[in-house]
Amino acid sequence: DEKSAPIVCPVRGGGYDDRYAVAQLLILQKNIPQAEACLLEAVQVSLGAIALMSDIAAAQRLPLRAAAFSSVLEQLNPTDGETVYLHAQRLGQAGKWDDALAPLLRLRESNPENANIANSLGAAYYQTFDYEKAIGAFTAAAALAPKNEDFAANLKKASAVAAGEEAHDAPMGAPEEKIELKKDEATA
């Protein structure tokens, strides 16, 4: 058996628009495999821009918008751990902790030595009021990174809440609430 050469886009250099235009021509020529290769390359060029849009939305305190952009990234690149982790973080920031659990569990299973993932999973369990699982995840995070004071504090808080010694923190304000900027009287 002779292996066939991989199908690639004939465009070298350029960006999204170039690959998209060539893909359209290839479709007209009924060269669907090569058109698909061009479109896949075009999407890869766009992933960085989509990630940046998620970051901008998060910086603007628009967590639902940030989660929407990260969702697109995860759908386009579902096997990339960093993309999945970003999406789980954005879901948490949007208050969608139940939705964040599944990707965090997949990441934890494939990255058992990653303390940040264990801590994020603990946060998701904590925010969904599953304190027993939160304590387990926070314990793992603290064991993996014993010098991380935040992980130890998360474990302490979850343990205290589970024991009834402290209250669960009030949830953050409603997602997408507008921030009123007030002029400083000195500059008015």
Side-chain angles (χ1 to χ4, degrees), residues 95 97 126-127 129 168-175 177:
W97 291 102
Y126 180 84
Q127 293 298 337
F129 303 94
H168 188 105
D169 297 334
M172 293 177 60
E177 69 183 38

PDB file of all heavy atoms in Angstrom, residues 95 97 126-127 129 168-175 177:
ATOM      1  N   GLY A  95     -21.121  32.166  36.240  1.00  0.00           N
ATOM      2  CA  GLY A  95     -22.018  31.562  37.219  1.00  0.00           C
ATOM      3  C   GLY A  95     -22.621  30.243  36.760  1.00  0.00           C
ATOM      4  O   GLY A  95     -23.540  29.729  37.380  1.00  0.00           O
ATOM      5  N   TRP A  97     -21.669  27.107  36.951  1.00  0.00           N
ATOM      6  CA  TRP A  97     -20.790  26.119  37.562  1.00  0.00           C
ATOM      7  C   TRP A  97     -21.177  24.695  37.212  1.00  0.00           C
ATOM      8  O   TRP A  97     -20.297  23.847  37.051  1.00  0.00           O
ATOM      9  CB  TRP A  97     -20.752  26.329  39.076  1.00  0.00           C
ATOM     10  CG  TRP A  97     -20.063  27.593  39.447  1.00  0.00           C
ATOM     11  CD1 TRP A  97     -20.654  28.777  39.820  1.00  0.00           C
ATOM     12  CD2 TRP A  97     -18.661  27.837  39.436  1.00  0.00           C
ATOM     13  NE1 TRP A  97     -19.687  29.722  40.050  1.00  0.00           N
ATOM     14  CE2 TRP A  97     -18.460  29.183  39.826  1.00  0.00           C
ATOM     15  CE3 TRP A  97     -17.554  27.059  39.133  1.00  0.00           C
ATOM     16  CZ2 TRP A  97     -17.199  29.737  39.931  1.00  0.00           C
ATOM     17  CZ3 TRP A  97     -16.294  27.623  39.240  1.00  0.00           C
ATOM     18  CH2 TRP A  97     -16.126  28.950  39.630  1.00  0.00           C
ATOM     19  N   TYR A 126     -17.744  23.418  44.977  1.00  0.00           N
ATOM     20  CA  TYR A 126     -18.127  24.320  46.063  1.00  0.00           C
ATOM     21  C   TYR A 126     -19.313  25.189  45.637  1.00  0.00           C
ATOM     22  O   TYR A 126     -20.291  25.339  46.374  1.00  0.00           O
ATOM     23  CB  TYR A 126     -16.926  25.187  46.469  1.00  0.00           C
ATOM     24  CG  TYR A 126     -17.236  26.155  47.586  1.00  0.00           C
ATOM     25  CD1 TYR A 126     -17.180  25.749  48.910  1.00  0.00           C
ATOM     26  CD2 TYR A 126     -17.584  27.476  47.310  1.00  0.00           C
ATOM     27  CE1 TYR A 126     -17.464  26.633  49.944  1.00  0.00           C
ATOM     28  CE2 TYR A 126     -17.875  28.359  48.326  1.00  0.00           C
ATOM     29  CZ  TYR A 126     -17.811  27.945  49.640  1.00  0.00           C
ATOM     30  OH  TYR A 126     -18.109  28.826  50.658  1.00  0.00           O
ATOM     31  N   GLN A 127     -19.221  25.765  44.454  1.00  0.00           N
ATOM     32  CA  GLN A 127     -20.275  26.665  43.980  1.00  0.00           C
ATOM     33  C   GLN A 127     -21.570  25.932  43.651  1.00  0.00           C
ATOM     34  O   GLN A 127     -22.623  26.556  43.552  1.00  0.00           O
ATOM     35  CB  GLN A 127     -19.797  27.470  42.774  1.00  0.00           C
ATOM     36  CG  GLN A 127     -18.693  28.451  43.099  1.00  0.00           C
ATOM     37  CD  GLN A 127     -19.104  29.517  44.105  1.00  0.00           C
ATOM     38  OE1 GLN A 127     -20.275  29.821  44.280  1.00  0.00           O
ATOM     39  NE2 GLN A 127     -18.127  30.082  44.795  1.00  0.00           N
ATOM     40  N   PHE A 129     -22.534  23.572  45.677  1.00  0.00           N
ATOM     41  CA  PHE A 129     -22.884  23.133  47.035  1.00  0.00           C
ATOM     42  C   PHE A 129     -22.592  21.659  47.301  1.00  0.00           C
ATOM     43  O   PHE A 129     -23.173  21.069  48.200  1.00  0.00           O
ATOM     44  CB  PHE A 129     -24.358  23.469  47.360  1.00  0.00           C
ATOM     45  CG  PHE A 129     -24.658  24.939  47.219  1.00  0.00           C
ATOM     46  CD1 PHE A 129     -25.172  25.448  46.037  1.00  0.00           C
ATOM     47  CD2 PHE A 129     -24.385  25.814  48.253  1.00  0.00           C
ATOM     48  CE1 PHE A 129     -25.424  26.802  45.888  1.00  0.00           C
ATOM     49  CE2 PHE A 129     -24.636  27.180  48.123  1.00  0.00           C
ATOM     50  CZ  PHE A 129     -25.156  27.672  46.937  1.00  0.00           C
ATOM     51  N   HIS A 168     -21.793  29.829  53.322  1.00  0.00           N
ATOM     52  CA  HIS A 168     -21.357  29.873  51.923  1.00  0.00           C
ATOM     53  C   HIS A 168     -21.416  31.342  51.502  1.00  0.00           C
ATOM     54  O   HIS A 168     -22.380  32.036  51.781  1.00  0.00           O
ATOM     55  CB  HIS A 168     -22.304  29.028  51.068  1.00  0.00           C
ATOM     56  CG  HIS A 168     -21.864  28.841  49.660  1.00  0.00           C
ATOM     57  ND1 HIS A 168     -21.340  27.649  49.225  1.00  0.00           N
ATOM     58  CD2 HIS A 168     -21.848  29.664  48.590  1.00  0.00           C
ATOM     59  CE1 HIS A 168     -21.029  27.749  47.943  1.00  0.00           C
ATOM     60  NE2 HIS A 168     -21.330  28.961  47.542  1.00  0.00           N
ATOM     61  N   ASP A 169     -20.378  31.804  50.840  1.00  0.00           N
ATOM     62  CA  ASP A 169     -20.352  33.210  50.402  1.00  0.00           C
ATOM     63  C   ASP A 169     -21.544  33.526  49.530  1.00  0.00           C
ATOM     64  O   ASP A 169     -22.028  32.676  48.778  1.00  0.00           O
ATOM     65  CB  ASP A 169     -19.074  33.504  49.604  1.00  0.00           C
ATOM     66  CG  ASP A 169     -17.829  33.333  50.443  1.00  0.00           C
ATOM     67  OD1 ASP A 169     -17.904  33.480  51.673  1.00  0.00           O
ATOM     68  OD2 ASP A 169     -16.776  33.032  49.862  1.00  0.00           O
ATOM     69  N   ALA A 170     -21.993  34.765  49.614  1.00  0.00           N
ATOM     70  CA  ALA A 170     -23.076  35.213  48.727  1.00  0.00           C
ATOM     71  C   ALA A 170     -22.568  35.187  47.297  1.00  0.00           C
ATOM     72  O   ALA A 170     -21.401  35.504  47.041  1.00  0.00           O
ATOM     73  CB  ALA A 170     -23.513  36.620  49.108  1.00  0.00           C
ATOM     74  N   PRO A 171     -23.426  34.787  46.365  1.00  0.00           N
ATOM     75  CA  PRO A 171     -22.977  34.776  44.967  1.00  0.00           C
ATOM     76  C   PRO A 171     -22.657  36.190  44.494  1.00  0.00           C
ATOM     77  O   PRO A 171     -23.156  37.166  45.037  1.00  0.00           O
ATOM     78  CB  PRO A 171     -24.161  34.184  44.206  1.00  0.00           C
ATOM     79  CG  PRO A 171     -25.322  34.268  45.129  1.00  0.00           C
ATOM     80  CD  PRO A 171     -24.798  34.383  46.527  1.00  0.00           C
ATOM     81  N   MET A 172     -21.833  36.245  43.471  1.00  0.00           N
ATOM     82  CA  MET A 172     -21.496  37.543  42.878  1.00  0.00           C
ATOM     83  C   MET A 172     -22.738  38.143  42.248  1.00  0.00           C
ATOM     84  O   MET A 172     -23.742  37.471  42.057  1.00  0.00           O
ATOM     85  CB  MET A 172     -20.402  37.359  41.813  1.00  0.00           C
ATOM     86  CG  MET A 172     -19.077  36.925  42.389  1.00  0.00           C
ATOM     87  SD  MET A 172     -17.836  36.627  41.116  1.00  0.00           S
ATOM     88  CE  MET A 172     -17.745  38.217  40.325  1.00  0.00           C
ATOM     89  N   GLY A 173     -22.660  39.398  41.899  1.00  0.00           N
ATOM     90  CA  GLY A 173     -23.774  40.087  41.253  1.00  0.00           C
ATOM     91  C   GLY A 173     -24.188  39.393  39.965  1.00  0.00           C
ATOM     92  O   GLY A 173     -23.464  38.568  39.433  1.00  0.00           O
ATOM     93  N   ALA A 174     -25.351  39.758  39.500  1.00  0.00           N
ATOM     94  CA  ALA A 174     -25.889  39.136  38.291  1.00  0.00           C
ATOM     95  C   ALA A 174     -24.915  39.313  37.131  1.00  0.00           C
ATOM     96  O   ALA A 174     -24.335  40.384  36.964  1.00  0.00           O
ATOM     97  CB  ALA A 174     -27.231  39.757  37.938  1.00  0.00           C
ATOM     98  N   PRO A 175     -24.728  38.257  36.333  1.00  0.00           N
ATOM     99  CA  PRO A 175     -23.847  38.393  35.177  1.00  0.00           C
ATOM    100  C   PRO A 175     -24.341  39.489  34.241  1.00  0.00           C
ATOM    101  O   PRO A 175     -25.544  39.709  34.121  1.00  0.00           O
ATOM    102  CB  PRO A 175     -23.941  37.032  34.490  1.00  0.00           C
ATOM    103  CG  PRO A 175     -24.461  36.100  35.524  1.00  0.00           C
ATOM    104  CD  PRO A 175     -25.284  36.937  36.456  1.00  0.00           C
ATOM    105  N   GLU A 177     -24.223  42.598  34.544  1.00  0.00           N
ATOM    106  CA  GLU A 177     -24.778  43.832  35.089  1.00  0.00           C
ATOM    107  C   GLU A 177     -23.881  44.991  34.668  1.00  0.00           C
ATOM    108  O   GLU A 177     -22.667  44.856  34.565  1.00  0.00           O
ATOM    109  CB  GLU A 177     -24.947  43.763  36.603  1.00  0.00           C
ATOM    110  CG  GLU A 177     -23.656  43.745  37.394  1.00  0.00           C
ATOM    111  CD  GLU A 177     -23.899  43.614  38.885  1.00  0.00           C
ATOM    112  OE1 GLU A 177     -24.818  42.882  39.277  1.00  0.00           O
ATOM    113  OE2 GLU A 177     -23.157  44.252  39.636  1.00  0.00           O
TER     114      GLU A 177
END
